[in-house]
Amino acid sequence: MTQEEVLAHVTEIFKTVLKKEQLSLTPETTAVDVEGWDSLTHVMLIDAVETHYKVKFKLNEVIKFNNVGDLCACVIKKLSA
Amino acid sequence: MLFTSFSFFIFLAIVYVIYWSLVKFRKAQNILLLLGSYFFYCAAAMPQNKIAKLLFNFRFDEAWYSFLKGFDESKWHMLQLLLLLWLSSSFAYFMGKTIGRQKKETTRKWLMALSATVHLGVLCYFKYFNFFVQSFVDAANTLGWQIIFSPEHILLPLAISFFTFHVLGYTFDVYQETYEPADDYIDFITHVAFFPQLVAGPIERAGHLLPQFTNKRTFNWERMESGISQMLWGFFKKTVVADSIGKFVTYVYANDATSSGSNVILATLAFTIQVYCDFSGYSDIALGCARLLGFELLKNFNFPYFSTSLTEFWRRWHISLSTWITDYLYMPISFNKRSWGKWGIVYAAIISFTLSGLWHGAQWTAALWGLMHGIVLGYEVLTKEVRKKWSQSVPTVLYSVCSAVLVWLFWGLSQLVFRSGSITKLNALWARICSESLFTMPYFSSVKDGLMWGGLLFIVEWIQRKKEYGLDLQNTNYMIRWTAYAAIIVIIFSSDNLNNQNEFLYFQF
């Protein structure tokens, strides 16, 4: 699966969880750029991505996510493992 | 030695002059800061008259005689405190190195657990030993067992809660590989002991502060002005507002049996202003003082009383603690319970805030205070959508003002619980509020000065809410700027409180 495909899925997941239809994500997007993406919704987003891809992240992995690109890269790594 | 004492100015002036004269020798600057910080730490625990004697009437023959005579109990205590600070930071440095060298995940985890156990064990012994044993004994006696317990005489080391969280954060970062282990031992122990932030925060992160110690500092007039103006704003908050209100609050809370209900309400609401001006004032002085030496500390307050929800409030109040709690406590708990959805977040918020309450004090009222905040934060998580709809159905200004007032009133209620200090006293104060005396006229005249200056402070902070701090006038007209500085200096020096050295509230934590 390519990063573009994962990014498209992740964008849909973010739209659903954050209830923002107009949301657009790039690999460089961070929590600061998205209204409503805070420490309270962060774990809900992680859980939704895990459920969608049927993967499990570790806390150490999640802590190192600096942007959406890091999240997508981790998903790809998990799927190809 | 308090930030507001004359001794501190002498100390700061000496350190400042030597520090900037060593501008080409970064290592020497750091050693100076280390020695200065250790001196400051000892002096903070020393009576005011002894520091004055040390700074102004130092006589070598007397000092030598005193040395030969040996240490009395208070000097031993001071040395023990210093030893604890040094051991705590040294242990964190060596554990960081050891964890960083290990490749095996299980070993790393065990080392991290060992490090956390030692740091928290020391904190628990000094801060919570008597509290937990006494609570257990009380519970056992209630159940009919006869247990007698005499509390141990344990003195709480100054700033232990702050430097323990500082070094623990570093250890967690190294374990989670979000920060490389520190290389230089002197730089590391200096950044832990750095005197502007040592006694009452901000709780620094190694990733933010340590690189500033490893890099060269350059002198800059604009930063000097900014540092001094932020310190001035802090002194204004502390000496003019907080200390004026503090006397009335202390009187009402000390006389819970005779104070009228209306005075308890007034004192509680006044306390919300006192605690803000006291603690954010301290933080302003700390940030300004660090900037004078070429360092930027973490922002600790961002005009919290303009928050329209409790969630927002905690992003603006004691930011260095709330982000610490979020990163190292709330995140692991909520991540662990992420399959619970919103209820996992509520659960994590309640646990994190209750523990955060206990960090503030070894009292059940502190835990109750934290629990109250956790519950309301949980409520805000669960009702986010509904509240958004409400906000769209009324004018924005009206919704914002009502929300800010509600947040402030809840904060006041929780401060009643916190400030009472014990469940017995809380019950007594609550009984006064529920009595007929609630309808008597409170002693407004006792706090009118503090409230007037407090009102002016909030107007200035509202105007300046997009800036870093209330007196941040760097880009303002030269005349306005210096007139404001001069006015603040005159107000501070005209204050009666300047001669009374009132300790900062957060020193006790």
Side-chain angles (χ1 to χ4, degrees):
Chain A
M1 194 171 266
T2 65
Q3 194 190 41
E4 286 73 28
E5 287 171 323
V6 175
L7 183 63
H9 287 147
V10 166
T11 305
E12 289 307 311
I13 293 166
F14 272 52
K15 281 181 183 177
T16 312
V17 174
L18 300 176
K19 297 187 172 61
K20 289 196 182 300
E21 278 309 305
Q22 305 302 317
L23 187 66
S24 165
L25 298 178
T26 67
E28 289 75 35
T29 306
T30 65
V32 180
D33 307 318
V34 181
E35 196 197 335
W37 182 5
D38 52 28
S39 56
L40 299 176
T41 50
H42 188 64
V43 280
M44 291 167 70
L45 291 165
I46 296 294
D47 183 50
V49 172
E50 282 183 332
T51 309
H52 180 85
Y53 287 106
K54 296 186 176 58
V55 293
K56 282 281 172 199
F57 297 118
K58 288 178 185 166
L59 181 61
N60 272 7
E61 292 169 331
V62 174
I63 283 164
K64 288 178 201 155
F65 292 165
N66 289 319
N67 52 33
V68 172
D70 290 344
L71 169 67
C72 295
C74 193
V75 168
I76 294 167
K77 193 177 145 196
K78 295 255 169 205
L79 291 175
S80 56
Chain B
M1 180 161 60
L2 302 173
F3 272 176
T4 48
S5 67
F6 188 62
S7 319
F8 176 72
F9 283 99
I10 300 294
F11 164 76
L12 183 61
I14 294 169
V15 170
Y16 182 84
V17 171
I18 303 174
Y19 178 81
W20 285 116
S21 63
L22 295 170
V23 71
K24 288 181 182 168
F25 310 99
R26 186 189 63 81
K27 273 276 174 199
Q29 279 186 317
N30 286 359
I31 290 169
L32 172 74
L33 288 180
L34 178 66
L35 296 175
S37 298
Y38 281 173
F39 172 80
F40 175 82
Y41 186 64
C42 290
M46 200 196 277
Q48 205 61 30
N49 57 345
K50 286 196 179 179
I51 306 162
K53 194 177 173 190
L54 199 66
L55 286 169
F56 301 118
N57 301 322
F58 183 80
R59 281 181 53 188
F60 188 77
D61 54 340
E62 274 188 14
W64 181 244
Y65 176 70
S66 169
F67 176 75
L68 288 178
K69 213 170 63 170
F71 288 113
D72 60 18
E73 202 181 324
S74 68
K75 283 179 191 161
W76 271 120
H77 176 61
M78 234 161 50
L79 270 185
Q80 284 166 354
L81 291 185
L82 193 57
L83 189 67
L84 184 67
L85 171 64
W86 174 71
L87 280 176
S88 179
S89 47
S90 300
F91 181 68
Y93 173 81
F94 288 110
M95 288 309 281
K97 278 273 186 206
T98 314
I99 293 170
R101 271 199 299 270
Q102 281 295 331
K103 295 281 173 264
K104 208 174 160 192
E105 181 54 27
T106 322
T107 316
R108 288 167 56 80
K109 196 178 270 184
W110 276 108
L111 286 169
M112 205 276 294
L114 171 72
S115 186
T117 308
V118 170
H119 286 300
L120 291 174
V122 171
L123 180 65
C124 283
Y125 171 72
F126 282 107
K127 194 164 176 175
Y128 302 106
F129 177 80
N130 280 333
F131 167 66
F132 282 123
V133 175
Q134 187 66 60
S135 300
F136 173 77
V137 168
D138 290 347
N141 286 338
T142 311
L143 292 171
W145 303 344
Q146 291 299 313
I147 303 176
I148 298 164
F149 168 68
S150 308
E152 294 285 323
H153 182 64
I154 303 170
L155 281 173
L156 182 66
L158 190 68
I160 189 169
S161 306
F162 288 93
F163 69 71
T164 300
F165 268 36
H166 184 154
V167 293
L168 258 183
Y170 164 75
T171 313
F172 290 146
D173 287 347
V174 170
Y175 169 69
Q176 289 166 343
E177 295 176 329
T178 52
Y179 190 67
E180 289 287 311
D183 270 333
D184 192 291
Y185 174 69
I186 296 291
D187 287 357
F188 182 82
I189 61 169
T190 310
H191 108 285
V192 175
F194 186 42
F195 69 88
Q197 52 90 56
L198 174 63
V199 178
I203 301 169
E204 275 293 334
R205 301 297 182 88
H208 177 255
L209 187 59
L210 194 50
Q212 299 184 55
F213 277 87
T214 53
N215 295 332
K216 190 176 182 298
R217 274 81 66 179
T218 47
F219 187 87
N220 177 320
W221 280 111
E222 282 178 6
R223 289 181 68 177
M224 293 306 115
E225 186 192 324
S226 166
I228 292 169
S229 68
Q230 188 156 8
M231 286 179 83
L232 277 178
W233 192 239
F235 290 132
F236 172 71
K237 282 177 173 173
K238 168 66 180 163
T239 56
V240 179
V241 187
D243 289 349
S244 302
I245 292 172
K247 291 171 210 156
F248 173 69
V249 175
T250 306
Y251 176 80
V252 171
Y253 273 76
N255 296 284
D256 52 287
T258 51
S259 293
S260 67
S262 56
N263 272 329
V264 174
I265 297 274
L266 179 63
T268 303
L269 295 179
F271 180 64
T272 62
I273 300 171
Q274 185 202 350
V275 74
Y276 169 67
C277 290
D278 192 286
F279 190 28
S280 72
Y282 178 92
S283 294
D284 281 329
I285 300 169
L287 266 80
C289 181
R291 196 170 299 133
L292 286 180
L293 299 166
F295 293 88
E296 282 302 323
L297 298 182
L298 289 168
K299 191 173 179 174
N300 220 14
F301 287 86
N302 186 19
F303 312 113
Y305 287 160
F306 305 140
S307 308
T308 56
S309 68
L310 197 66
T311 311
E312 188 189 345
F313 180 89
W314 278 108
R315 290 192 186 115
R316 290 164 169 256
W317 178 279
H318 203 175
I319 301 166
S320 64
L321 176 68
S322 50
T323 49
W324 197 101
I325 296 280
T326 301
D327 290 351
Y328 304 121
L329 204 56
Y330 164 82
M331 257 307 279
I333 299 171
S334 63
F335 183 77
N336 192 251
K337 300 291 176 201
R338 62 196 184 281
S339 58
W340 292 10
K342 284 184 179 176
W343 287 102
I345 297 171
V346 174
Y347 173 79
I350 289 174
I351 300 284
S352 306
F353 269 85
T354 307
L355 290 173
S356 156
L358 276 177
W359 177 89
H360 284 84
Q363 298 144 355
W364 286 115
T365 44
L368 181 59
W369 171 85
L371 177 67
M372 286 168 73
H373 281 267
I375 290 171
V376 175
L377 283 170
Y379 160 82
E380 287 190 352
V381 170
L382 297 173
T383 59
K384 195 175 174 181
E385 296 304 317
V386 182
R387 286 183 298 114
K388 197 175 176 183
K389 279 182 191 161
W390 289 348
S391 69
Q392 286 160 352
S393 60
V394 288
T396 313
V397 176
L398 180 68
Y399 184 82
S400 299
V401 171
C402 290
S403 302
V405 171
L406 271 178
V407 169
W408 178 60
L409 288 176
F410 170 74
W411 174 246
L413 178 67
S414 72
Q415 290 303 94
L416 172 73
V417 175
F418 186 81
R419 180 66 175 77
S420 65
S422 71
I423 299 290
T424 315
K425 191 149 193 156
L426 176 63
N427 285 337
L429 290 164
W430 195 248
R432 300 307 297 158
I433 292 173
C434 297
S435 72
E436 283 179 2
S437 64
L438 180 67
F439 303 103
T440 57
M441 184 58 84
Y443 300 149
F444 274 114
S445 57
S446 309
V447 272
K448 70 174 192 321
D449 287 351
L451 294 182
M452 184 191 77
W453 288 119
L456 179 75
L457 179 127
F458 286 113
I459 292 169
V460 172
E461 292 212 330
W462 173 255
I463 296 165
Q464 293 281 91
R465 65 191 183 282
K466 304 277 184 210
K467 301 282 184 67
E468 287 297 306
Y469 55 95
L471 203 61
D472 183 0
L473 301 169
Q474 293 264 295
N475 300 319
T476 319
N477 175 282
Y478 182 84
M479 278 296 288
I480 296 174
R481 196 163 87 228
W482 286 95
T483 309
Y485 295 161
I488 290 286
I489 292 170
V490 170
I491 294 166
I492 292 169
F493 278 93
S494 316
S495 167
D496 296 338
N497 304 312
L498 199 62
N499 299 323
N500 309 322
Q501 295 299 321
N502 295 302
E503 204 168 73
F504 287 91
L505 293 172
Y506 265 67
F507 271 28
Q508 61 193 293
F509 307 137

